[in-house]
Amino acid sequence: MLVDQRSGARKIVRSKAVVVMDGMPPMQGRTLDINGSGLSLTFDHKLAAGDVGMVSFELFVEGKAQVLSCRSRVNYCIFSGDHFKIGFQFMNPDMATMATINKFLR
């Protein structure tokens, strides 16, 4: 049985993402949803739970596109159709990043 480990309300967000896992080249993904503690996205590559890297993604806040980057840890990786659905947990995001995410979530 799969247990949903996400906490807090999620908001759908569809944008490009760039994932740079430690020791790997940058790879493209697409965001699915976000909350104050993490983000899920679709990805062509499998990642292992516990992998750490930098996730950059775009949010539209107050009519402006803002690119955010945050060090993140893989919580889960599920094969879904023709891609992987990966859940990332933010690791110590800075105040500006959290402020932007919280504005988006309102």
Side-chain angles (χ1 to χ4, degrees), residues 14 30 38 59 88:
R14 301 283 194 255
R30 300 254 338 141
L59 286 182
F88 288 93

Side-chain angles (χ1 to χ4, degrees), residues 8-10 13-14 22 30 43 52 54-55 62-63 65 85 90-91 94 103:
R10 312 282 294 179
V13 59
R14 301 283 194 255
D22 291 354
R30 300 254 338 141
F43 208 56
V52 174
M54 187 64 75
V55 178
E62 298 171 347
K85 182 177 178 185
F90 300 137
M91 298 170 60
D94 63 43
K103 269 189 203 173

Side-chain angles (χ1 to χ4, degrees), residues 8-50:
R10 312 282 294 179
K11 188 168 182 181
I12 292 171
V13 59
R14 301 283 194 255
S15 68
K16 293 178 184 176
V18 176
V19 177
V20 184
M21 300 310 292
D22 291 354
M24 297 173 72
M27 296 176 278
Q28 298 285 325
R30 300 254 338 141
T31 60
L32 293 170
D33 59 27
I34 189 170
N35 75 1
S37 64
L39 163 87
S40 68
L41 51 82
T42 60
F43 208 56
D44 289 336
H45 306 278
K46 183 177 182 179
L47 297 175

